Amino acid sequence: MINCISKQNDSRQRNLAKSVLKSAAVTLSVQALGKNLNKDNFGQTLLVIAAGGLGDYFGGNTAMGAILGGGNALINKTNFLGTATKYAAIGGAVDLLLNATEAKAEPNRNTDINKEIDPHGFLNRKGVNYLHAHPSEIQEATFEDSGSATITLTADHIIAYSLKKAFELARNTKQFQMVEKLFEDNVNALFFIEYDTIKGRGTLANASIKLRYNGANAVMSRSQFNKYIKQENHNLLSWRIIIKFFPEELTKLPINEQITNLAITIGHELFIHNRIEIVELWKDNNSENWLNALNKSLEDRGDRGELDHKLFLQGKCQRMNKYLTELQLALSNAGISSSIFQKALKHHKSQMAL
């Protein structure tokens, strides 16, 4: 299943009450220092404070400066344009200083967050990786919380017995072996991450793919992509696929049913959607296919996931069909009956058809 949710946080989140207080502090200080504050102009001063607060809230220090400069000039009957311009310039200088300070601090902020999530640096690895994630703070289960800073990557292996057995069976299939071979050169990365103690999500897994550059992990725009290709910096780019599993969704089922459901889900995330195909196109070492890979990654969200499900239900996803045929044989060799496999597959398809 697809889950592509991104959040954008402004490090300078503005609060209207704080903006008004800031405006009041500046205005009252200026008026008091100039010995212009008195009962006759106090009402006008309050109006200027309110206007300055709104200016800061919507436009920052530059806007607040222009408003306070002009407002105080009117109250004190001084040069309106000159005073407003001077205050705006001071506010603009403050904004530039704050922006520069925050820009400099931003990498450190992100690094601190990454250290909280991934203190061991597991996500810096390439190739195929198996990780375990534990919530440091239990929240109501939503799609957002599993990707937030409330989890910590604690181990570089899968812990749940059901998921470990599911991967053992998946690795007996030729389709999964082809995936492992695709990443064995350690250029791109595939992460299977097991989340524990998270239940009630209504899904066993979700996944994402992103193009990494300069050590970052973000969806690259076409213009950024073209810049890297023109500068022959293709070797600085790599793909990261992250597939998250929630095995505790199945704890009420018998163990063989848990294993079978998870093994089918592994194939779903690898072969129904186009993420493996994206990496294959990328490794074709052709600039046209590099762009095709990028375009496919930008489609890996929204309605595309439902279309992938529909094509599978219509029997048109050959790679997944091959995986299921090979998986059924691996299950049989492990003593898991065909009836359990068919039951799990029927349930899996019914969930996609919702």
Side-chain angles (χ1 to χ4, degrees):
M1 299 184 74
I2 278 183
N3 176 42
C4 294
I5 296 177
S6 62
K7 294 181 178 179
Q8 188 173 9
N9 294 318
D10 182 357
S11 60
R12 290 175 63 198
Q13 291 179 347
R14 293 196 175 92
N15 179 286
L16 182 57
K18 289 181 179 179
S19 293
V20 172
L21 286 173
K22 188 200 303 187
S23 177
V26 173
T27 301
L28 293 174
S29 297
V30 168
Q31 291 290 70
L33 287 171
K35 298 181 179 180
N36 295 316
L37 187 62
N38 56 64
K39 62 180 181 179
D40 293 330
N41 64 24
F42 191 73
Q44 294 173 300
T45 301
L46 290 178
L47 289 175
V48 171
I49 287 172
L54 289 173
D56 178 75
Y57 182 74
F58 290 109
N61 290 290
T62 307
M64 182 183 75
I67 292 170
L68 294 188
N72 286 324
L74 290 174
I75 292 172
N76 302 324
K77 297 181 174 57
T78 56
N79 187 291
F80 175 83
L81 183 60
T83 308
T85 303
K86 181 175 72 174
Y87 275 61
I90 294 171
V94 172
D95 276 331
L96 287 173
L97 179 61
L98 287 173
N99 289 338
T101 302
E102 287 168 3
K104 185 177 180 180
E106 189 69 15
N108 295 329
R109 187 179 70 86
N110 288 337
T111 300
D112 291 341
I113 291 174
N114 289 337
K115 284 181 179 179
E116 291 175 12
I117 297 172
D118 185 20
H120 307 289
F122 294 141
L123 292 176
N124 294 327
R125 297 177 178 178
K126 300 293 181 67
V128 180
N129 299 271
Y130 299 85
L131 306 176
H132 176 265
H134 180 75
S136 55
E137 177 184 339
I138 303 299
Q139 298 179 342
E140 179 183 356
T142 67
F143 278 110
E144 291 89 343
D145 65 30
S146 66
S148 72
T150 59
I151 64 98
T152 305
L153 294 172
T154 59
D156 58 352
H157 56 272
I158 298 296
I159 293 174
Y161 174 80
S162 57
L163 191 55
K164 283 196 293 186
K165 296 300 292 184
F167 273 113
E168 287 177 14
L169 293 167
R171 296 186 74 184
N172 285 326
T173 68
K174 291 181 180 178
Q175 301 307 310
F176 194 92
Q177 291 164 13
M178 289 170 62
V179 170
E180 290 182 307
K181 189 172 182 62
L182 189 65
F183 290 89
E184 67 182 7
D185 58 3
N186 289 319
V187 173
N188 302 290
L190 171 60
F191 292 94
F192 297 109
I193 305 179
E194 165 197 50
Y195 282 60
D196 70 17
T197 72
I198 295 178
K199 301 179 182 179
R201 299 179 57 83
T203 182
L204 288 181
N206 59 62
S208 63
I209 182 168
K210 294 181 180 179
L211 188 59
R212 305 186 71 203
Y213 61 100
N214 277 353
N217 182 34
V219 176
M220 178 178 277
S221 69
R222 288 181 180 85
S223 60
Q224 290 171 317
F225 173 81
N226 287 331
K227 177 183 175 183
Y228 271 79
I229 298 304
K230 285 178 182 178
Q231 294 176 351
E232 298 183 351
N233 286 333
H234 170 260
N235 61 324
L236 296 179
L237 307 176
S238 64
W239 291 100
R240 174 192 281 175
I241 298 175
I242 294 180
I243 303 177
K244 304 171 184 176
F245 292 90
F246 309 94
E248 294 192 33
E249 287 282 318
L250 300 173
T251 50
K252 293 182 180 180
L253 294 178
I255 189 62
N256 281 348
E257 290 188 29
Q258 293 182 42
I259 294 168
T260 305
N261 275 279
L262 287 166
I264 291 172
T265 301
I266 291 168
H268 178 131
E269 298 301 344
L270 290 174
F271 305 121
I272 288 181
H273 303 296
N274 63 8
R275 301 174 192 111
I276 296 302
E277 183 184 348
I278 288 170
V279 178
E280 288 174 334
L281 282 170
W282 189 256
K283 290 173 68 70
D284 196 30
N285 207 29
N286 176 290
S287 59
E288 184 177 346
N289 278 339
W290 295 340
L291 184 58
N292 289 337
L294 178 73
N295 289 335
K296 283 183 177 291
S297 74
L298 296 175
E299 294 172 358
D300 185 49
R301 61 196 72 196
D303 294 337
R304 176 69 218 189
E306 296 309 314
L307 176 59
D308 292 339
H309 295 166
K310 184 177 179 180
L311 291 173
F312 169 67
L313 294 174
Q314 293 173 348
K316 297 178 181 179
C317 187
Q318 293 189 12
R319 185 172 282 183
M320 180 61 174
N321 292 339
K322 289 179 181 179
Y323 171 77
L324 291 173
T325 299
E326 295 165 2
L327 177 64
Q328 188 170 11
L329 178 58
L331 289 166
S332 177
N333 292 337
I336 298 178
S337 68
S338 177
S339 61
I340 290 177
F341 171 76
Q342 294 298 335
K343 179 181 178 181
L345 182 59
K346 182 179 180 181
H347 175 72
H348 196 85
K349 288 181 175 180
S350 69
Q351 293 297 104
M352 283 190 285
L354 293 177

